[in-house]
Amino acid sequence: MPRSGPATPGAVPDDAGPGDVVPPGTPAGATGPPGAAGAGSPEHAVEGDGPATGTWPAPVRRPTGRDVARLAGVSQATVSLVFSGSEAGRRVSDATRERVREAARGLGYRPQAAGRQLRLGRSGMILLAVPNILGPFFGRVLEGVHEEAGRHGLAVVVSSGWGSATLAEAATTSRFDGLLICSPDDSQLGELPADTPAVFLDADPGTDRARPTVELDVAGGMRAAVEHLAALGHRRIGRLRSTHSAYTFRVRQAAFEEAVRSLGLDVLELGVSLNEGQSAARVAAHRLLEHPARPRAVICDDDVVASGVYQAAAELGLRVPADLSVVGIDNVPVAALLAPPLTTVDLPGEELGRAGVAALARLLRGEPVAPVAPLATSLVLRSSTAPGRTD
């Protein structure tokens, strides 16, 4: 029975059904086609940058499933079936389904995701856990995650500075359908419940053999960087390496040591905390470049550290690349903006994010996930390296 009485802001209209979207502030019992004259219609909108009377006009009522049913000449239950995404929806004939969708398009109707997800027992959200949300490389990963998540109807929440307890809590709540765990270090890994869909990105494939891992070929990228400098005639290589324990940095270090050993190169290296950014890199670079036997080429564990080397070199009167060749890793946007543009190892963060979501989406559908080969890296040659000098 329809309710009567004054309209209550935020109340759900009587004609709202499964799949309907009702905006806050919609009067209870509101009826009529979308855009009908009323308190929230354009005829009553206040022109200008703000309300003239101290109140904002109510929004135009959004179309409901009942509006679609009326226009398409079907029942509201049929509309709900068409937009349910369930097996039952396939019982509706193709002609009726198209008529309903055409009516929905004409009205600008959007089915309520929350209601559909409630019926499916899902939230529609996934958690992307990254070590440092301010790290430019993780911006590349997030771009790929968002792009692929949109294809699967998933929303993304990003978490930074998480630990094993935080992940365990996220895994045991109903807030997230699944987890993407990117570049974890040892302190951030703990026991995840066996029934938690999770995919590891840029991580040790042995972390959890029961769950998919998508790797980057960081070892191949590091070898390419060392071989490039050696081919330019550099025999003494400086290195600013990450002090973090994440698998990706252990792999880079092992590849660097193997490459310089096989090429017979001398090495001078210092550790730097990547989370402390350019300022910490600048201090470490000063120590490296003020060494009595300073190297004339430096490889950095990321491009932000490389920018700190640029700054330290300028302060010491050294020119890049005439006096100092510099190579970074990541190929984030700042690399091309440095003067001169930075030679760096491209880590395909966007592809990493897309592959991770694709694997997670398969898990959420209850499908097996085939192993993914390490994603290829490449050395992007720009203007920050030059032939070595013997003087």
Side-chain angles (χ1 to χ4, degrees):
M1 178 181 297
R3 293 189 297 270
S4 60
T8 303
V12 179
D14 294 322
D15 64 350
D20 292 341
V21 175
V22 181
T26 301
T31 58
S41 69
E43 290 85 349
H44 288 261
V46 178
E47 296 183 355
D49 294 333
T53 62
T55 59
W56 292 100
V60 175
R61 186 179 72 83
R62 294 181 184 177
T64 68
R66 179 168 292 183
D67 296 327
V68 176
R70 288 170 181 159
L71 184 59
V74 299
S75 69
Q76 191 172 344
T78 299
V79 173
S80 295
L81 281 175
V82 169
F83 290 106
S84 67
S86 65
E87 186 69 27
R90 298 182 183 179
R91 297 201 300 263
V92 180
S93 70
D94 291 343
T96 300
R97 186 182 297 111
E98 180 55 33
R99 191 163 74 249
V100 169
R101 292 191 180 279
E102 181 63 29
R105 285 192 293 268
L107 292 172
Y109 169 75
R110 295 180 181 178
Q112 185 177 16
R116 183 169 64 254
Q117 289 155 359
L118 183 62
R119 291 191 295 274
L120 296 175
R122 295 180 181 173
S123 68
M125 295 191 299
I126 59 175
L127 175 67
L128 170 63
V130 300
N132 179 10
I133 201 169
L134 298 179
F137 172 71
F138 299 116
R140 294 187 61 184
V141 176
L142 180 58
E143 182 178 340
V145 167
H146 270 306
E147 179 183 331
E148 187 67 20
R151 295 193 181 103
H152 298 278
L154 297 169
V156 182
V157 175
V158 184
S159 169
S160 179
W162 43 271
S164 57
T166 308
L167 276 187
E169 179 184 0
T172 53
T173 68
S174 59
R175 287 178 293 173
F176 304 107
D177 294 338
L179 310 178
L180 291 173
I181 305 171
C182 187
S183 306
D185 65 33
D186 298 340
S187 67
Q188 294 171 315
L189 293 175
E191 290 292 330
L192 292 176
D195 60 351
T196 299
V199 174
F200 291 92
L201 307 179
D202 189 27
D204 185 348
T207 297
D208 188 339
R209 296 193 181 278
R211 292 183 167 94
T213 297
V214 183
E215 284 188 87
L216 297 167
D217 183 18
V218 290
M222 178 60 78
R223 285 193 297 270
V226 175
E227 291 168 358
H228 169 64
L229 293 176
L232 289 174
H234 292 283
R235 307 307 302 168
R236 183 171 176 78
I237 306 295
R239 173 154 157 74
L240 290 181
R241 56 174 174 77
S242 170
T243 57
H244 300 297
S245 64
Y247 170 77
T248 183
F249 298 118
R250 298 200 298 268
V251 171
R252 296 175 202 196
Q253 182 65 16
F256 175 80
E257 292 175 358
E258 179 184 354
V260 296
R261 183 170 56 251
S262 66
L263 293 169
L265 306 179
D266 294 328
V267 175
L268 178 62
E269 60 180 321
L270 294 173
V272 60
S273 172
L274 302 191
N275 286 345
E276 296 179 27
Q278 186 185 36
S279 59
R282 172 181 163 274
V283 172
H286 264 280
R287 291 175 55 202
L288 188 74
L289 300 179
E290 289 170 344
H291 193 278
R294 74 168 177 85
R296 296 189 181 277
V298 180
I299 295 178
C300 306
D301 253 352
D302 76 4
D303 295 342
V304 174
V305 171
S307 70
V309 174
Y310 272 50
Q311 185 178 6
E315 292 167 351
L316 294 172
L318 300 175
R319 298 164 299 163
V320 178
D323 303 311
L324 181 68
S325 290
V326 184
V327 178
I329 296 178
D330 282 349
N331 194 28
V332 297
V334 71
L337 301 177
L338 292 172
L342 177 67
T343 291
T344 185
V345 176
D346 179 59
L347 303 185
E350 298 87 352
E351 185 179 355
L352 180 70
R354 288 192 293 268
V357 174
L360 184 57
R362 291 185 67 87
L363 290 181
L364 296 178
R365 294 193 299 267
E367 301 171 1
V369 178
V372 179
L375 304 181
T377 60
S378 59
L379 184 66
V380 180
L381 297 177
R382 296 196 178 102
S383 309
S384 65
T385 56
R389 290 164 44 185
T390 57
D391 59 327

